[in-house]
Amino acid sequence: FFFIFKGILSTLGNGYVIFMSSKRKKKLRPAEIMTVNLAVCDLGISVVGKPFSIISFFSHRWVFGWMGCRWYGWAGFFFGCGSLITMTAVSLDRYLKICHLSYGTWLKRHHAFICLAIIWAYATFWATVPFAGVGSYAPEPFGTSCTLDWWLAQASVAGQAFILSILFFCLLFPTAVIVFSYVKIILKVKSSTKEVAHYDTRIQNSHILEMKLTKVAMLICAGFLIAWIPYAVVSVWSAFGQPDSVPIQFSVVPTLLAKSAAMYNPIIYQVIDCKFACCRSGGLKTLQKKSSLKKSR
């Protein structure tokens, strides 16, 4: 029932973000294009993965066979990796826009689409590597969903190399880039807030918009990492520790938390967007008052 609830919320929320963005697709900024891509990844997790797991949970076992298990594991890893790499690209975009203005103004819409192609190719490569015989997908310990076969690290050196490669390129490295980018942004914002106050209104409005996009990106990245880190810890312990020491009941909780990440993002995006719209409407009222005063004069 929890999977049904978050599946419906995730589908409606991410579908709404995609629909609203499609209405102004020619005006989307590079960071907003990345946000739409993130919504596509989250929608993919909900539409492709959730029905399999919901039916299996109600059946108390995996009912779709070995090929279904591999497909479910591939889809979950593909869209999950796509989400994390998208957020990594967003964090770099925010870092360049806030900390290096010359590079930030150079980034245009066509660069965002090139970046999207790289993101999808990256996710496709790492999700498909297990089919080449290097790794594999296997059922979770509780038997109602499938994931990467983390237990290969217990079997051979090749399995350990595969799991370490996945951990570095699909978790540790992207997370390090995200943390570095936002730490530098926070330090830059603290030092430049007073300077922006002396600029004209157009520069201030541009700065407010950039900060709004940065807040959205920071909250989405934080929510994603908080949701997935417990799952990563349990998975690493299963790979290199003692898998039998993790109770099956306990292993369900990180999975439920990780799969909830797709539900948070549209909520975060809309809350920040509504706050920005309120501020913007207040600014419009002020401008309207000024224009009416000019007319009366």
Side-chain angles (χ1 to χ4, degrees), residues 106-124:
W106 175 76
L107 292 170
K108 304 298 180 183
R109 282 169 56 92
H110 65 276
H111 296 113
F113 290 113
I114 293 172
C115 188
L116 290 184
I118 295 172
I119 289 169
W120 287 111
Y122 192 92
T124 302

Side-chain angles (χ1 to χ4, degrees), residues 141 150-155 234-248 250-251:
W150 299 99
W151 302 271
L152 285 174
Q154 301 278 349
V234 172
S235 299
V236 170
W237 182 254
S238 299
F240 299 101
Q242 298 177 351
D244 298 334
S245 64
V246 180
I248 292 178
F250 179 76
S251 67

Side-chain angles (χ1 to χ4, degrees), residues 3 21 111 146 184 227 236 246:
F3 262 59
S21 300
H111 296 113
C146 296
K184 297 293 286 186
V236 170
V246 180

Side-chain angles (χ1 to χ4, degrees), residues 46-106:
S46 301
V47 173
V48 176
K50 291 292 191 297
F52 287 86
S53 54
I54 289 170
I55 293 171
S56 295
F57 269 118
F58 276 116
S59 302
H60 302 284
R61 63 186 180 87
W62 182 256
V63 297
F64 297 100
W66 176 239
M67 290 303 296
C69 181
R70 300 182 77 186
W71 159 249
Y72 178 88
W74 180 90
F77 186 49
F78 172 72
F79 288 115
C81 182
S83 294
L84 183 56
I85 303 305
T86 300
M87 286 185 285
T88 305
V90 170
S91 68
L92 284 174
D93 174 77
R94 296 293 86 210
Y95 169 69
L96 293 173
K97 283 284 176 68
I98 302 296
C99 300
H100 299 281
L101 295 178
S102 59
Y103 291 99
T105 54
W106 175 76

Side-chain angles (χ1 to χ4, degrees), residues 3 33 47 57 68 108 111-112 116 132 140 157 175 189 215-216 221 228 232 241 253 257 266 285 293 296:
F3 262 59
I33 293 172
V47 173
F57 269 118
K108 304 298 180 183
H111 296 113
L116 290 184
E140 300 267 16
V157 176
T175 303
V189 168
K215 286 179 181 178
V216 171
C221 290
W228 280 95
V253 178
L257 183 62
K285 288 178 182 178
L293 285 172
S296 64

Side-chain angles (χ1 to χ4, degrees), residues 23-280:
K23 296 175 71 173
R24 50 185 294 269
K25 55 186 177 183
K26 293 184 179 180
K27 297 181 180 180
L28 292 176
R29 301 159 69 90
E32 292 175 312
I33 293 172
M34 293 297 172
T35 303
V36 174
N37 190 63
L38 184 60
V40 171
C41 291
D42 291 339
L43 187 64
I45 292 174
S46 301
V47 173
V48 176
K50 291 292 191 297
F52 287 86
S53 54
I54 289 170
I55 293 171
S56 295
F57 269 118
F58 276 116
S59 302
H60 302 284
R61 63 186 180 87
W62 182 256
V63 297
F64 297 100
W66 176 239
M67 290 303 296
C69 181
R70 300 182 77 186
W71 159 249
Y72 178 88
W74 180 90
F77 186 49
F78 172 72
F79 288 115
C81 182
S83 294
L84 183 56
I85 303 305
T86 300
M87 286 185 285
T88 305
V90 170
S91 68
L92 284 174
D93 174 77
R94 296 293 86 210
Y95 169 69
L96 293 173
K97 283 284 176 68
I98 302 296
C99 300
H100 299 281
L101 295 178
S102 59
Y103 291 99
T105 54
W106 175 76
L107 292 170
K108 304 298 180 183
R109 282 169 56 92
H110 65 276
H111 296 113
F113 290 113
I114 293 172
C115 188
L116 290 184
I118 295 172
I119 289 169
W120 287 111
Y122 192 92
T124 302
F125 172 78
W126 286 108
T128 311
V129 162
F131 292 136
V134 180
S136 181
Y137 294 102
E140 300 267 16
F142 45 88
T144 52
S145 66
C146 296
T147 184
L148 280 170
D149 192 352
W150 299 99
W151 302 271
L152 285 174
Q154 301 278 349
S156 64
V157 176
Q160 291 180 359
F162 167 71
I163 296 300
L164 287 173
S165 298
I166 290 290
L167 286 173
F168 179 78
F169 289 105
C170 299
L171 179 64
L172 296 179
F173 178 68
T175 303
V177 172
I178 291 171
V179 172
F180 168 80
S181 298
Y182 288 122
V183 168
K184 297 293 286 186
I185 287 170
I186 291 170
L187 295 176
K188 181 67 175 179
V189 168
K190 283 186 176 181
S191 64
S192 63
T193 303
K194 294 181 180 179
E195 297 176 8
V196 174
H198 299 291
Y199 294 156
D200 60 30
T201 305
R202 186 179 300 176
I203 296 177
Q204 287 179 352
N205 290 339
S206 177
H207 180 75
I208 290 171
L209 179 58
E210 294 297 342
M211 291 312 302
K212 173 247 180 178
L213 294 172
T214 303
K215 286 179 181 178
V216 171
M218 288 178 69
L219 286 173
I220 287 175
C221 290
F224 185 91
L225 294 177
I226 291 171
W228 280 95
I229 283 176
Y231 182 81
V233 170
V234 172
S235 299
V236 170
W237 182 254
S238 299
F240 299 101
Q242 298 177 351
D244 298 334
S245 64
V246 180
I248 292 178
Q249 294 85 349
F250 179 76
S251 67
V252 178
V253 178
T255 303
L256 294 177
L257 183 62
K259 303 288 180 160
S260 302
M263 181 178 64
Y264 305 149
N265 296 341
I267 297 173
I268 293 170
Y269 184 79
Q270 291 304 319
V271 167
I272 297 293
D273 200 49
C274 287
K275 287 175 66 179
F276 179 72
C278 291
C279 295
R280 186 169 51 190

